[in-house]
């Protein structure tokens, strides 16, 4: 017997192949914006939450997810916006935190600032701006290697 | 709560973030330092994002098919329901930061209260926006303190900004029929309770910033009711809305 529809687990695996449009080393699942995959009858419902309410990547993420699911042959699905509970940087997976750092973005830290320079690991750091190149990041600089770097804001 | 009153209430929330978001975006490419430019643009982006949520919900509640974009781009001055503070011109950097601080402080208090709204959609948007507003308040209060307690020049400019904007605070807390309807139905908070918390936190920051609060409690009104906006809003709208006015329905 053959199932007519891919399992929910399979769809999660497909979604793990969709990169975040602004930080392509992590997936939309890694970053915690895909909140749920469920079935309503024969229809697949994918719930997505924005990181920041004005994040321009949100519409691109929806587009990329739709493209991925269609390319896998899934026809009957719907993307739903889910606002609550509000996105938190705590939802970024452990594996993704390491990938962020390797990519040069200091991962979020409850201390309110990066714990070390993602390039040289020095802890002698200074904040340049509470905001950065995207809504989810702030600008910091390492006083040891003098390189500025992005820090993923902890919210 | 009656649908038409709820629509008005949502317009107030959405128009505040829309008009302030547009004002702040006017700094893009002009701020005194690159880092400040990025910060202001990001604050504007958050506010415009929140506007999409509030005005989107307002359009749903109204039920005549008007979208968030339509409400933002195709209403005229007298249909806007933002408080007068947010439409005030940017002035110098100090004036912009003072306006932001006075707004952020109110915004955090009101969003925090709205998380407990009897309307689930309102509560969900408030929960989302609150995280962003708290981050904005952290920056604007730090900057008010830094500039107020800075050089003689920066202190004098911040004091002048406070004196100029002071009469616009009162409008936040003066309830009218819409505010009272929201309060009675558990949709919105009791504004008089918010005012006590606001004044207390404001005093604390102003003290750290070495700034003196005016003692006059006169307040300009007419923004959130739409009765009388200041002349500045019309000028702002001519810039913000020109594309949809010149090419109605244009999209890309």
């Amino acid at each position: 017997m053959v199932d007519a529809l891919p399992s929910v687990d399979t769809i999660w695996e497909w979604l793990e192949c969709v990169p975040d449009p602004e930080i392509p080393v992590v997936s939309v699942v890694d970053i915690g914006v895909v909140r749920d995959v469920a079935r309503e009858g024969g229809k697949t419902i994918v719930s997505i939450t924005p990181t920041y309410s004005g994040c321009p990547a949100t519409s691109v993420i929806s587009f990329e997810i739709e493209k991925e699911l269609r390319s896998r042959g899934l026809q009957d699905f719907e993307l739903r916006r889910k606002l609550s509970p509000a996105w938190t940087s705590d939802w970024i997976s452990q594996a993704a935190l390491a990938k962020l750092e390797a990519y040069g973005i200091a991962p979020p830290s409850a201390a309110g600032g990066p714990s070390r320079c993602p390039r040289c690991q020095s802890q002698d750091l200074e904040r340049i701006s509470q905001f950065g190149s995207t809504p989810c990041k702030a600008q910091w600089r390492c006083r040891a290697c003098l390189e500025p770097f992005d820090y993923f804001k902890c919210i | 709560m009656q649908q038409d009153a709820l629509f008005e209430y949502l317009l107030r929330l959405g128009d505040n973030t829309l008009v302030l978001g547009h004002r702040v975006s006017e700094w893009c490419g002009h701020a005194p330092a690159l880092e400040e430019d990025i910060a202001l643009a990001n604050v504007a982006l958050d506010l415009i994002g929140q506007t999409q949520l509030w005005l989107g919900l307002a359009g749903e509640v109204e039920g005549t098919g008007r979208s968030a974009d339509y409400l933002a781009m195709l209403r005229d001055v007298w249909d806007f329901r933002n408080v007068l503070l947010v439409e005030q011109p940017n002035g110098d950097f100090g004036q912009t930061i003072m306006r932001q601080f006075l707004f952020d402080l109110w915004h955090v208090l009101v969003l925090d209260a709205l998380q407990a709204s009897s309307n689930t959609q309102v509560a969900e948007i408030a929960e989302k926006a609150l995280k962003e507003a708290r981050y904005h308040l952290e920056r604007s209060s730090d900057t008010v303190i830094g500039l107020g307690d800075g050089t003689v020049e920066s202190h004098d400019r911040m004091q002048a900004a406070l004196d100029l904007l002071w009469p616009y605070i009162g409008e936040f807390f003066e309830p009218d029929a819409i505010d009272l309807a929201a309060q009675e139905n558990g949709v919105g908070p009791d504004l008089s309770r918010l005012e006590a918390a606001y004044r207390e936190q404001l005093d604390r920051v102003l003290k750290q910033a070495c700034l003196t609060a005016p003692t006059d409690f006169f307040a300009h009104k007419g923004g959130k009711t739409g009765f009388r906006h200041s002349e500045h809003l019309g000028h702002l709208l001519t810039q913000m809305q020109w594309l949809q006015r010149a090419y109605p329905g244009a999209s890309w």
Side-chain angles (χ1 to χ4, degrees), chain A residues 8-87:
Chain A
V8 164
D9 287 345
T10 303
I11 292 174
W12 275 107
E13 280 169 28
W14 293 349
L15 294 173
E16 275 164 25
C17 302
V18 179
D20 179 282
E22 278 170 339
I23 313 167
V25 289
V26 295
S27 78
V28 293
V29 174
D30 285 334
I31 211 89
V33 304
V34 180
R35 298 316 303 154
D36 193 35
V37 179
R39 281 271 153 69
E40 285 179 10
K43 193 179 203 176
T44 305
I45 311 294
V46 179
S47 300
I48 301 168
T49 198
T51 52
Y52 285 79
S53 55
C55 182
T58 309
S59 58
V60 182
I61 287 173
S62 297
F63 177 76
E64 294 293 335
I65 288 176
E66 200 176 324
K67 206 171 75 178
E68 179 71 22
L69 295 181
R70 287 205 191 287
S71 78
R72 303 275 191 168
L74 194 67
Q75 300 290 333
D76 194 12
F77 64 91
E78 183 188 328
L79 306 186
R80 274 192 202 154
R81 187 181 69 196
K82 188 176 192 297
L83 280 183
S84 180
W87 182 84

Side-chain angles (χ1 to χ4, degrees), chain A residues 83-84, chain B residues 6 54 57 114-127 186-187:
Chain A
L83 280 183
S84 180
Chain B
L6 179 58
W54 290 126
L57 181 55
L114 286 174
Q115 288 190 108
S117 174
S118 59
N119 182 308
T120 317
Q121 285 169 294
V122 169
E124 289 189 350
I125 297 173
E127 180 194 346
V187 173

Side-chain angles (χ1 to χ4, degrees), chain B residues 44-57:
Chain B
L45 183 63
D46 286 342
L47 292 171
I48 298 301
Q50 294 167 18
T51 303
Q52 287 174 327
L53 299 175
W54 290 126
L55 293 187
L57 181 55

Side-chain angles (χ1 to χ4, degrees), chain B residues 210-230:
Chain B
C210 306
L211 297 172
T212 311
T215 49
D216 186 351
F217 279 82
F218 165 73
H220 292 292
K221 284 178 295 218
K224 71 178 176 184
T225 59
F227 176 69
R228 188 187 294 125
H229 280 284
S230 61

Side-chain angles (χ1 to χ4, degrees), chain B residues 87-136:
Chain B
E87 68 197 43
Q88 298 310 304
N90 287 336
D92 60 16
F93 181 72
Q95 199 176 312
T96 291
I97 292 296
M98 181 60 77
R99 185 187 61 201
Q100 192 68 38
F101 166 64
L102 297 174
F103 177 80
D104 290 342
L105 191 52
W106 171 81
H107 205 202
V108 166
L109 288 167
V110 83
L111 291 172
D112 191 25
L114 286 174
Q115 288 190 108
S117 174
S118 59
N119 182 308
T120 317
Q121 285 169 294
V122 169
E124 289 189 350
I125 297 173
E127 180 194 346
K128 181 77 198 160
L130 178 60
K131 288 187 161 203
E132 295 160 3
R134 283 204 173 116
Y135 201 81
H136 298 170

Side-chain angles (χ1 to χ4, degrees), chain A residues 87-154:
Chain A
W87 182 84
T88 160
S89 44
D90 293 346
W91 290 345
I92 303 173
S93 70
Q94 284 300 317
L97 294 176
K99 285 187 218 165
L100 282 177
E101 190 171 20
Y103 189 61
I105 301 171
S109 143
S115 51
R116 59 187 184 184
C117 168
R119 286 186 181 75
C120 75
Q121 278 72 51
S122 164
Q123 294 176 0
D124 188 13
L125 312 171
E126 64 180 340
R127 187 177 74 190
I128 302 174
S129 173
Q130 271 147 297
F131 292 87
S133 56
T134 66
C136 55
K137 287 178 259 160
Q139 276 287 309
W140 282 67
R141 179 170 27 225
C142 173
R143 289 205 189 96
C145 70
L146 304 179
E147 283 292 326
F149 62 89
D150 274 334
Y151 163 63
F152 207 104
K153 285 161 27 182
C154 183

Side-chain angles (χ1 to χ4, degrees), chain B residues 26 40 51 120 137 159 204 218 222 244 252:
Chain B
E26 290 170 2
L40 288 163
T51 303
T120 317
L137 178 60
Q159 184 64 53
R204 203 166 53 228
F218 165 73
Q244 283 300 324
W252 64 87

